Amino acid sequence: MKALVDPDHALDAGLAAIRTEFQVPEGFPADVLAAAEMAAQRIPTDHIDRLDLPFVTLDPATSTDLDQAFCIEASGEDLLLRYAIADVAWFVEPGDAIDAEAWRRGETLYLPDGKAGLYPPILGEHAASLLPDGPRPAVVFIVRVAPDGGVKLDGAERAIIRSRAKLAYDDVRASDLPPQMDELAKRIAEAERRRGASRVDPPEQQVEAVPGGGFALSFRPRLVSEDHNAALSLATNLAVADAMLAHHTGLFRVMPEPDTGTVTRLRATAAAMSIVWPDEMSLQTFEQTLNPATPGGAAMMLAIRRAGSGASYEPYRSDAKPWHAAMGATYAHATAPLRRLADRHVVMAALAIANGREVPAPIAAAFGKLPPVMARAGARQGQIDRAVLDLAETVMLAGQVGRTFPAIVVDADTRHARIQLRDLPVLTRIAAAGLTPGDRIDARLVAVNGARRKTDFDVV
């Protein structure tokens, strides 16, 4: 789809207002910066030398907060994934000034004109980040991936590693990656299908900076390199979750199964879009048949994502098995400690478990306190994301009041509908009754209010 560019920097003032409205932190308190300066000088002493292993990273090209590096080797019919995770806990002590500030933030906040990091840049983008400019301390998870895609945490160790290359999603070549990368991703994907996992990855509506200044609003499809990289994180997170569950401790990501009413509404949406969904086919299987490259497939995937109740964090409970319906498995977050507070604690718990030790008391105590902290942080990022997209849509459409756009209805109730403009990367609400998901309509832009980040359309 066409990207709308903002060459006059009209978004700048609006982004500043969003930062103020959602209290996005500007920098760090002086005591936190001073503590981070000292922590960055801490020399690793509990780490094994693994400098000989050919680790690489794979991220967006502009990323500097690199949480993960990886290498893969064959072990009989199995594959051994060594997934190195930034050892944030080496630099941050429970209760110190850096830790206290991280608890206030919960996670890194992202905006098109820059991020508000969970940790000061000297740690999050330098000393703790797995950049290829020198040795770094890491926690290396050793994950065994069987031919059927089953995963097991074979071990974990603190190690000194060196990334051989900082690879980027949009230009990485197969020759840059371990030769077993495709096979590992295939095994994980096939295991997902067997579990009935239903992860939905439609094209993302996004605002991003463009070379030369300004921003672009577009729908960005996922790249194969992103899916392959996600398979590595998924394998590790599943293995870590299983290890924690077996030891009756931990913090898990959970998501309930969709209820009957939700599935019924989604079936009606598919029928309206003329998408075949056989009566005997489950929602999980149906999702795997959708093609995000087609307008109908992308719209259906967005409808499924919007219909879900969302994931949350939950500490281990003896009376319930933690379950993530979209993953079709017990699941945890362990692979992004530079960006999510919870991951640092899960990493340290898994490290202890893998080496036959008790989970440190401060880590175990944190599991019950983290869910509301992470929920607040996640909600704020979600609000920021929606505000940024709404702002971008008003800026890009400001000069087009009166124009009629072809659109497709992706969601509807008795009084409103959510429509996706078919020729522009705009997803917005419209006040209209009687619309059904899948309807193709003409929508006329009748007003744009940049201050309120609001556009008004009516049906022609």
Side-chain angles (χ1 to χ4, degrees):
M1 293 186 182
K2 182 179 178 181
L4 296 173
V5 181
D6 171 33
D8 298 324
H9 300 201
L11 282 168
D12 291 346
L15 290 173
I18 289 172
R19 288 177 175 274
T20 300
E21 178 180 345
F22 294 101
Q23 300 179 358
V24 177
E26 292 186 15
F28 287 83
D31 64 326
V32 177
L33 290 175
E37 290 276 356
M38 293 183 62
Q41 306 304 315
R42 189 176 181 191
I43 298 173
T45 56
D46 293 351
H47 298 68
I48 297 171
D49 185 333
R50 298 297 188 205
L51 295 174
D52 60 321
L53 293 176
F55 285 102
V56 295
T57 63
L58 181 58
D59 297 273
T62 57
S63 294
T64 52
D65 49 350
L66 308 186
D67 289 288
Q68 315 116 4
F70 58 90
C71 59
I72 307 169
E73 65 181 76
S75 177
E77 293 187 343
D78 295 339
L79 296 176
L80 281 187
L81 165 64
R82 284 185 169 84
Y83 211 42
I85 306 299
D87 192 357
V88 180
W90 182 253
F91 301 99
V92 181
E93 294 284 349
D96 70 10
I98 309 169
D99 183 50
E101 182 65 17
W103 276 85
R104 283 189 284 271
R105 298 183 180 221
E107 65 179 42
T108 295
L109 296 176
Y110 292 92
L111 288 93
D113 58 348
K115 62 179 179 285
L118 179 61
Y119 299 104
I122 194 172
L123 295 180
E125 300 178 55
H126 295 284
S129 179
L130 302 182
L131 294 161
D133 57 358
R136 291 291 194 279
V139 174
V140 178
F141 290 123
I142 304 164
V143 179
R144 183 174 292 274
V145 182
D148 66 356
V151 297
K152 177 185 177 185
L153 186 62
D154 254 15
E157 60 186 15
R158 276 184 148 158
I160 298 295
I161 70 157
R162 178 186 285 111
S163 172
R164 298 290 198 270
K166 181 179 182 293
L167 307 176
Y169 289 142
D170 55 1
D171 63 4
V172 65
R173 299 168 300 180
S175 58
D176 298 327
L177 297 167
Q180 303 89 352
M181 185 84 161
D182 284 348
E183 174 61 22
L184 191 149
K186 178 182 176 183
R187 292 183 182 189
I188 297 302
E190 290 180 350
E192 283 192 281
R193 283 191 286 273
R194 284 195 301 274
R195 294 198 309 271
S198 56
R199 289 188 302 131
V200 180
D201 295 313
E204 294 181 355
Q205 189 186 23
Q206 66 173 17
V207 180
E208 60 181 351
V210 295
F215 301 89
L217 172 64
S218 63
F219 277 107
R220 185 184 67 83
R222 282 177 65 88
L223 301 172
V224 172
S225 56
E226 291 180 86
D227 288 334
H228 280 22
N229 201 38
L232 306 183
S233 289
L234 177 58
T236 304
N237 286 328
L238 290 171
V240 166
D242 286 345
M244 291 193 301
L245 182 62
H247 287 78
H248 310 292
T249 187
L251 183 70
F252 302 89
R253 289 289 277 172
V254 297
M255 177 186 286
E257 298 281 355
D259 58 30
T260 302
T262 297
V263 175
T264 299
R265 288 192 296 273
L266 288 171
R267 283 190 174 276
T269 300
M273 293 183 178
S274 300
I275 299 175
V276 176
W277 182 353
D279 291 341
E280 68 279 5
M281 183 180 288
S282 69
L283 172 60
Q284 291 83 356
T285 303
F286 170 65
E287 290 176 63
Q288 295 167 9
T289 69
L290 297 174
N291 181 1
T294 65
M300 190 68 218
M301 293 176 83
L302 284 168
I304 293 171
R305 173 173 282 184
R306 283 176 48 78
S309 57
S312 60
Y313 287 90
E314 184 177 285
Y316 172 79
R317 293 166 38 202
S318 60
D319 62 341
K321 182 178 181 179
W323 192 254
H324 195 296
M327 299 296 178
T330 298
Y331 185 65
H333 273 167
T335 56
L338 289 173
R339 290 171 278 170
R340 292 187 300 247
L341 173 65
D343 293 42
R344 166 162 54 100
H345 297 78
V346 171
V347 166
M348 296 314 294
L351 178 65
I353 289 169
N355 289 281
R357 301 192 300 265
E358 291 292 323
V359 174
I363 301 298
F367 290 147
K369 302 173 185 176
L370 280 164
V373 174
M374 301 307 297
R376 285 194 299 271
R380 180 160 65 159
Q381 180 67 69
Q383 292 167 342
I384 289 171
D385 289 344
R386 187 64 256 168
V388 167
L389 292 170
D390 289 344
L391 169 67
E393 290 175 355
T394 62
V395 170
M396 306 306 180
L397 294 174
Q400 304 188 59
V401 173
R403 179 180 169 186
T404 297
F405 300 86
I408 185 170
V409 178
V410 297
D411 195 10
D413 57 30
T414 56
R415 295 186 299 167
H416 298 87
R418 182 170 291 271
I419 61 172
Q420 178 182 313
L421 303 191
R422 293 171 60 189
D423 298 325
L424 298 176
V426 172
L427 186 67
T428 188
R429 280 170 60 84
I430 186 171
L435 295 179
T436 303
D439 286 350
R440 294 176 181 267
I441 65 171
D442 289 321
R444 182 172 58 239
L445 179 63
V446 296
V448 174
N449 188 324
R452 295 177 58 198
R453 301 190 293 268
K454 189 175 187 302
T455 57
D456 289 319
F457 287 84
D458 63 15
V459 179
V460 178

